Amino acid sequence: MYPVSSAFLNAVKANTRKYYWTGRITTTAGDVYAFDQDDIVKGSGYITSQCCGFTEIELGTVYAAEMGISLFSDIDRYTLEDAIVTLSYHLQVAGGSYEEVPIGVFEVSEANRKVKCLEIKAYDYMVRFEKNFSALESIGNAYDFMVLCSAACNVALAQDRETIETMPNGNVNLSIYTDNDIETYRDVLFYVGQVLGGFFVINRAGELELRKYGNTPVLTVERKHRFTSSFSDFITRYTAVSSTNLPYCGVLLC
């Protein structure tokens, strides 16, 4: 979680809020273009991010976040290939001042020009792991594989070795079958995330981070916050359970 003040948390829970957005585009040539609320086409911005599918909670997921925005700008769209976009959210807190929260780092995937507007679609660094994986004889623990993916795809790690190795299965040696279905470094992260019982995301700083589902409440949704409610009540019955026990003390990525 990103650390914010108690004033920010109170302002977020208020019935009305006053806020604005700012951002910056940095091209591969080093040119920097700053923009603010006045440059953003009203209603055009969005960010979609998820840690699991829509029907079930999953382990090992490696979803990429997508960002889209339209700007009143005359930037040459052909200079924006692989450009970096950073966004910040500014919320007015008690006293009238604004508190800034960084939202994330995104790489431009598409930049289309309209008469007065520049439409940008970008993804976070998770797409960098869509790179062919060739180290078929790799062996090591979970953090070793994370370092391997990080170095190969040029994405920094948010956690250190000690943090990962103290997790369940964090010290277990992993290896890869010669005959496997791993095609990209993103597939490797998928299996590592499953071994550690979590999922991977790109955090606000553009770093690869392993997160886990928690069981501690972080927000109370009161009656005044709900417009409609529906509940699904059903019974699940298991008729059989199948188990395969391998005579190996480690964990295999396959």
Side-chain angles (χ1 to χ4, degrees):
M1 298 293 290
Y2 184 81
V4 295
S5 66
S6 57
F8 186 96
L9 295 176
N10 291 332
V12 165
K13 297 177 182 179
N15 292 331
T16 60
R17 308 176 189 90
K18 190 173 183 179
Y19 63 90
Y20 66 92
W21 293 80
T22 61
R24 184 176 61 185
I25 302 173
T26 305
T27 68
T28 55
D31 298 322
V32 179
Y33 304 97
F35 60 90
D36 57 24
Q37 189 71 22
D38 294 333
D39 301 311
I40 302 174
V41 178
K42 186 177 180 179
S44 67
Y46 71 89
I47 296 176
T48 58
S49 179
Q50 63 190 83
C51 62
C52 62
F54 296 105
T55 59
E56 59 185 353
I57 294 177
E58 303 165 301
L59 295 177
T61 54
V62 283
Y63 285 104
E66 178 184 326
M67 185 275 293
I69 196 170
S70 296
L71 302 174
F72 293 114
S73 174
D74 58 359
I75 302 174
D76 183 0
R77 72 183 184 94
Y78 295 106
T79 65
L80 297 183
E81 183 177 359
D82 296 328
I84 302 299
V85 182
T86 57
L87 290 173
S88 293
Y89 176 77
H90 305 256
L91 179 66
Q92 188 180 56
V93 298
S97 62
Y98 284 83
E99 185 169 341
E100 179 182 358
V101 174
I103 298 301
V105 182
F106 305 87
E107 279 187 312
V108 174
S109 173
E110 298 179 21
N112 299 311
R113 165 68 60 189
K114 287 192 173 182
V115 177
K116 296 182 179 180
C117 303
L118 178 67
E119 294 182 345
I120 295 175
K121 179 182 289 187
Y123 298 91
D124 66 14
Y125 287 167
M126 191 65 77
V127 297
R128 290 189 177 185
F129 295 102
E130 287 292 341
K131 182 178 178 181
N132 290 337
F133 179 76
S134 57
L136 300 180
E137 300 298 328
S138 301
I139 186 170
N141 63 21
Y143 192 79
D144 293 328
F145 278 98
M146 290 171 61
V147 170
L148 175 67
C149 296
S150 169
C153 302
N154 192 28
V155 180
L157 295 177
Q159 293 143 312
D160 57 19
R161 179 178 293 276
E162 182 180 2
T163 301
I164 299 299
E165 290 186 349
T166 54
M167 295 181 180
N169 296 327
N171 260 326
V172 176
N173 278 333
L174 313 175
S175 61
I176 299 178
Y177 285 121
T178 302
D179 184 16
N180 61 76
D181 60 354
I182 294 176
E183 297 181 356
T184 66
Y185 286 92
R186 198 167 177 178
D187 294 331
V188 176
L189 292 178
F190 168 77
Y191 286 114
V192 172
Q194 285 193 328
V195 169
L196 296 175
F199 55 91
F200 282 103
V201 298
I202 300 298
N203 64 18
R204 298 172 188 268
E207 300 168 331
L208 181 69
E209 181 178 344
L210 178 83
R211 295 180 182 175
K212 296 193 175 187
Y213 299 105
N215 55 9
T216 302
V218 296
L219 177 66
T220 300
V221 181
E222 301 176 2
R223 178 184 297 179
K224 63 181 181 180
H225 298 140
R226 295 191 293 264
F227 293 98
T228 60
S229 300
S230 63
F231 299 91
S232 177
D233 186 13
F234 57 88
I235 298 175
T236 301
R237 293 184 175 88
Y238 296 92
T239 57
V241 176
S242 177
S243 174
T244 300
N245 300 312
L246 299 176
Y248 177 69
C249 62
V251 179
L252 300 179
L253 302 183
C254 57

